[in-house]
Amino acid sequence: PQPNMIWNILRFVSAAALISIMCMFVESAAPTAPPTKSPTRSPTYSPSKSPSNLPSTKPTYPPSLTPTKLPSNLPSTKPTLSPSSSPSQRPSAAPSVKPSTASPTTIASRNVKVSSAYQIQLSDPLLYPKQFIYVNPSGSDTNNGLSTATAVKTIAKAMTLAPLNGKGATIVLADGVYRETIRPPSPATMMQTGQLVFQSASKDNSKATIRCSNSITGTSFTPLTSLSADIQAPFAAAARSQIYVADLGALGWTLADLMRFRDDAVYEQRASGLNFLVQSSTAVAAGASLDPAKRYHAARAPNFRNVTNWKRAEHWWVADGPTAGSTTSLVDATDDTGTLLAPADIEAGNLKTIGVDLSGGYLRALDGMNSHWMWYRRIKSHDQTTGTVTIDTDSASSSCDGSTGLCTGCQPKYACGDANIDTNGKGFSPMSKYYVDNHPYLLDAAGEYYVDKTNLKLFVIPLPGVNMDASFVVELSKRRAAIDLTNTLNVTFDSLSVEMCDDTAVYSNNWVNANTRFITMRSLNMQLSGRGLTFIKTIAQLDSAGGLENTEHVGLIESTVRHMDDVSILMNQGWWSCSIDALGDLCSHAQIRRFYVGHNQFYELGFRPFGDDGTGGAVIGNEMVFENNLVRNVAHNGFQFIPGPAKQGAIQPYASSDLVVGAVLIKDNIFEWTCLLESDCGGLKHWAGDLGFRDHLLIGNVYRNIIGWSYSVQMQNLIPTSWPYYNPVDRKYWRLMLGFAFGSYFDYAPGSYHFRNIAYNVGSNCYHWTARIAQSEMYFHNNLAVNCYSGFASDWDVWNGGLGTPTTQHKSTSIQGNIFAATALNGLNMFRNNNQQNGQPRSFEGNFVMDYNLWSQAGYDTRSDSVYRRGVADINKGNFVMDYNLWSQAGYDTRSDSVYRRGVADINYLDSSLSNGGNPTSTLAGLRAKEPLVSVHDQSANPAFTGFNPDVWANNILSRTQDATLTSFLTDNDVDWTAYTLSAGSPAVDKVSSTLPPMLQTVMQYWGLTPEIVGAQMDLGPLERGITWTASMKGPKR
């Protein structure tokens, strides 16, 4: 799929005309409370060529994307709303988000002052409607709903009772479970009704639950051994006595109820068969949300096991091949027991000795290159003599035709396909970690299940310690979504639990002339679903002028989104057959904008994704705020931003003004323990493909404990020369790395401003930018990189799609005021792309400034095969300025075999024919001798942190054994980031001008932000000395 194509079209209801309405304002200056639920402990990439988590499916009506008209660049003022008609009810004053009870998990704003509210209009609890309608699962829909004693039974009935007087209504939900999908009325009806608020009576988001499942009690189950031999036959003989069977058809399930993540009644996604089955009990309090730890696993081999949080695939089996790699077949004929790096308790078994033909089951596997991709495919055939499974691909000879939803045992057509992506044909290969599931013979362990969709039967082995008796209760997912917000407005959800939805907990998909506007979701507990929020907006030539309003003014506040198989939030937009010539401004329209996502927790995300990697959130941001959130325990990227389209007629490389969407604030978030299953990913990722981003401001974020371990990456530290992919240069590069992940990852993604961010304990580079830096501005100021492979790494080129001489060269880049400490490879490395197109030299249209930075213990590694260790490397000639920097033990090693260890290398400032490569410049004097016009005012100085000594840290690493790794050390030694504050006598205090570069200043002023400064000038790094760092600023400990 193309990067700017809509990911999926899910159509629940037909569209109608939308009439806009004014709602209320949100102020973000005051810290708000975190979600009720706190995170729990829970049980990996070369640069991608397509966005993470992009399904291979096409929508029911596949959009055809066309470039769009030139938007205005960053507005001089924050956006305002001009409603098309007067609102039904205006607040007496502009309210703010009401703070709740303080909690240790609150993440407060830090190191910056917020001077005004964001112009994103959300509801205020103080102004909820005073007309109440009461709902209780034990009520009756014949009641009037005006009191708790006369409560109605269903939420659907309550909505019909809302008076059409414009005053709105608060629908109060008693504790209990509501098994229905909430579909608020159309905009026309909502204009007559006024605001609708759905709120828990107890104000507790764990007691009033919207549940997409139905319960099945023990009395509906029968022992498998009591049934006929033909029903027992597919199951392993040794396990049959443990298995119980329920007839789902008799209990009201249909085939459509069991089809996972479908866009209509026919097709379903790759996650076929993985319905949610969770243990409940008759003893559970009414309405109490389910326990994610009691979810059943689909029958699988090897059985589920997780010991180390950041090694989620450690107990999967390892493929033998094919040696040359394959996009259709995987081979495993040997057990892993006793092999290199295998855990001692790994389950014995392989595809040759497994004992059954696995055809019709499913294979989940990581690629064998670096575990970037994770595929889930139906097994078409299984050769047990060689241990080879072949997946179902979309080909002329395939049974994968998808006309009925079952395809005579195969999954539907668009869920098929090979495992190529961008792995150069080496999808399945030696060192691919994998497991097989969703086959009856594999049902052999407590807490597993199997669904026979053909015969509508559920087979289970109860969880350990759970008896199959009258008290036994399980919940099986049945409905696609709990809340459908397609084509509605002015709705609030407060203090509710939403769970067990096969597709997505909250859903909005607007097509022609339809929009979703003014939606507030506050203090929700969303869990155990395919996705948390899905918001899609598409425009087409069928749109009328009245249909051009946006899906906008949507907020998620103080909520928890956890245990989602796929993403926590999906936001995307599409253009269907748009033509600027035909419809004027239509195709320049950014359909989704003004989203506020703040003070939430997102965790346990993406481990059974619908697509081919498990990103925690995928959003296309436009006038969006993402602040004060905690993102942790994610399979792949913690959150990923994807681009919008470029204007009509724009050519590559695009300028910022060519981009339709932009203006995003990412502020004061914590991203930690991401990349737990896949590698080549980050805590926060921006992927732009051939496009870019416009005015993304990243400020005050923390990226920590992001490792990206994978078996294939670790093996590259140990591989023999006989390994098919052995490369002596790469082996040296990987030698130190146990993980391949980044803190902040900009992949083909220019157009951003980074200010006062913190990254530490990262398996690869704390900050990583790949290519395309030539397309737009990049500002990197007062950030911190500590305890990682390289502090900051980037390559760049002048890329123009192979269309001839580049028309746009490098834009202004500024790297100032940063601290790089205790980095194993380089403090900062901007290396050159050896594949420069068209033979054009790298050049700069704007300035490249690298002043007032500090390097301490950068390039410390001294092992004999570590040949590329230095403080700064590979800066090419251009409009380049480098001065007023501080140095302390940067690239200090001077042994005779350490020819590339130095503070700075390959600047080529004076003459492109000269190179200082191979001549150590470990000292400042050596640097000046080689590059006399660079670093005239630099000094040698130690940063003098208050609680962290990079010299001691590096010496400790160097004293460890040869096979020690950076990651193994950092994972055992968590560091509080306030240890990186500067002491009173630090030379980094009051070092850099308090006046920010004009463009950075403009972007910050747009959001009403000004940096906190103590003293006459700013300190280096993000932690201004003199600010007191509170527990709420620091956020939760790991």
Side-chain angles (χ1 to χ4, degrees), residues 166 208 268 314 336 462 473 644 657 724:
E268 70 179 327
E314 183 178 25
D336 299 325
V473 182
S657 58

Side-chain angles (χ1 to χ4, degrees), residues 214-217 219-222 245-255 257-258 452-458 476 478:
N214 283 4
S215 61
I216 307 174
T217 64
T219 56
S220 297
F221 284 90
T222 302
V245 188
D247 186 339
L248 297 177
L251 295 171
W253 266 267
T254 66
L255 172 61
D257 295 329
L258 295 171
D452 180 348
K453 294 186 178 183
T454 301
N455 298 299
L456 300 182
K457 295 289 193 297
L458 170 64
L476 178 63
K478 191 174 191 289

Side-chain angles (χ1 to χ4, degrees), residues 133-247:
I133 303 170
Y134 295 89
V135 189
N136 193 310
S138 61
S140 170
D141 280 352
T142 62
N143 290 338
N144 61 19
L146 297 180
S147 68
T148 56
T150 60
V152 297
K153 182 178 181 66
T154 65
I155 300 169
K157 177 63 177 179
M159 286 189 287
T160 69
L161 299 177
L164 301 179
N165 59 11
K167 295 182 179 180
T170 297
I171 297 175
V172 182
L173 306 183
D175 293 353
V177 174
Y178 300 85
R179 302 182 189 274
E180 56 185 301
T181 298
I182 302 174
R183 293 185 174 90
S186 70
T189 300
M190 290 299 297
M191 284 295 294
Q192 299 178 64
T193 302
Q195 183 187 24
L196 279 183
V197 175
F198 300 84
Q199 186 177 40
S200 163
S202 63
K203 310 292 196 301
D204 186 330
N205 67 6
S206 67
K207 294 185 177 179
T209 300
I210 316 301
R211 190 173 290 168
C212 294
S213 60
N214 283 4
S215 61
I216 307 174
T217 64
T219 56
S220 297
F221 284 90
T222 302
L224 176 63
T225 52
S226 68
L227 302 180
S228 62
D230 61 316
I231 295 178
Q232 297 185 45
F235 298 89
R240 292 172 187 170
S241 63
Q242 307 173 64
I243 300 173
Y244 295 85
V245 188
D247 186 339

Side-chain angles (χ1 to χ4, degrees), residues 589-840:
H589 198 65
Q591 303 95 310
I592 297 180
R593 66 178 183 178
R594 295 173 185 167
F595 262 67
Y596 180 85
V597 180
H599 303 273
N600 305 290
Q601 293 189 33
F602 302 94
Y603 61 97
E604 283 302 313
L605 307 170
F607 293 97
R608 302 174 183 88
F610 294 156
D612 291 321
D613 63 57
T615 290
V619 298
I620 182 168
N622 189 48
E623 300 173 41
M624 175 184 178
V625 176
F626 186 89
E627 70 174 357
N628 301 89
N629 300 291
L630 172 64
V631 180
R632 64 154 46 128
N633 285 2
V634 183
H636 200 226
N637 299 299
F639 254 76
Q640 176 167 308
F641 282 79
I642 57 177
K647 68 176 183 178
Q648 180 92 358
I651 62 172
Q652 297 168 334
Y654 300 120
S656 293
S657 58
D658 293 329
L659 305 178
V660 171
V661 302
V664 175
L665 175 62
I666 304 172
K667 173 178 167 289
D668 293 323
N669 304 284
I670 294 178
F671 302 90
E672 64 178 4
W673 298 112
T674 67
C675 306
L676 299 183
L677 184 57
E678 301 169 77
S679 69
D680 191 4
C681 49
L684 174 66
K685 182 176 180 180
H686 284 64
W687 187 93
D690 298 339
L691 295 164
F693 292 94
R694 174 165 60 79
D695 306 316
H696 277 228
L697 175 60
L698 291 76
I699 183 169
N701 301 289
V702 174
Y703 316 96
R704 66 185 182 191
N705 303 324
I706 300 170
I707 299 169
W709 175 88
S710 73
Y711 177 83
S712 58
V713 169
Q714 187 175 8
M715 279 295 291
Q716 291 182 60
N717 290 327
L718 306 170
I719 53 177
T721 56
S722 59
W723 186 58
Y725 307 142
Y726 177 80
N727 181 303
V729 175
D730 287 346
R731 185 168 185 258
K732 293 171 182 176
Y733 173 70
W734 290 105
R735 181 63 179 157
L736 191 68
M737 297 170 58
L738 183 58
F740 185 23
F742 315 106
S744 175
Y745 188 6
F746 273 66
D747 196 6
Y748 299 87
S752 61
Y753 302 80
H754 306 248
F755 183 64
R756 286 183 167 173
N757 299 286
I758 299 168
Y760 65 97
N761 290 4
V762 178
S764 187
N765 306 323
C766 278
Y767 304 90
H768 190 79
W769 298 350
T770 62
R772 310 306 190 260
I773 200 173
Q775 295 174 27
S776 189
E777 303 82 5
M778 296 292 272
Y779 283 77
F780 191 77
H781 278 241
N782 293 85
N783 300 286
L784 175 73
V786 177
N787 205 8
C788 45
Y789 193 55
S790 281
F792 176 104
S794 173
D795 64 9
W796 76 93
D797 56 18
V798 179
W799 188 86
N800 65 336
L803 301 177
T805 302
T807 57
T808 301
Q809 299 176 342
H810 174 82
K811 299 288 186 180
S812 296
T813 293
S814 180
I815 302 175
Q816 299 189 61
N818 305 286
I819 297 178
F820 308 96
T823 60
L825 184 66
N826 303 308
L828 183 145
N829 183 9
M830 304 194 73
F831 55 90
R832 295 164 293 184
N833 190 325
N834 292 327
N835 297 316
Q836 182 67 39
Q837 297 193 29
N838 308 312
Q840 297 295 324

Side-chain angles (χ1 to χ4, degrees), residues 299-301 351 354 358 362-363 379 434-438 442:
R300 56 178 280 177
L351 298 177
I354 198 166
L358 292 171
Y362 285 77
L363 168 71
I379 298 171
Y434 79 95
Y435 66 83
V436 288
D437 74 0
N438 205 22
L442 305 178

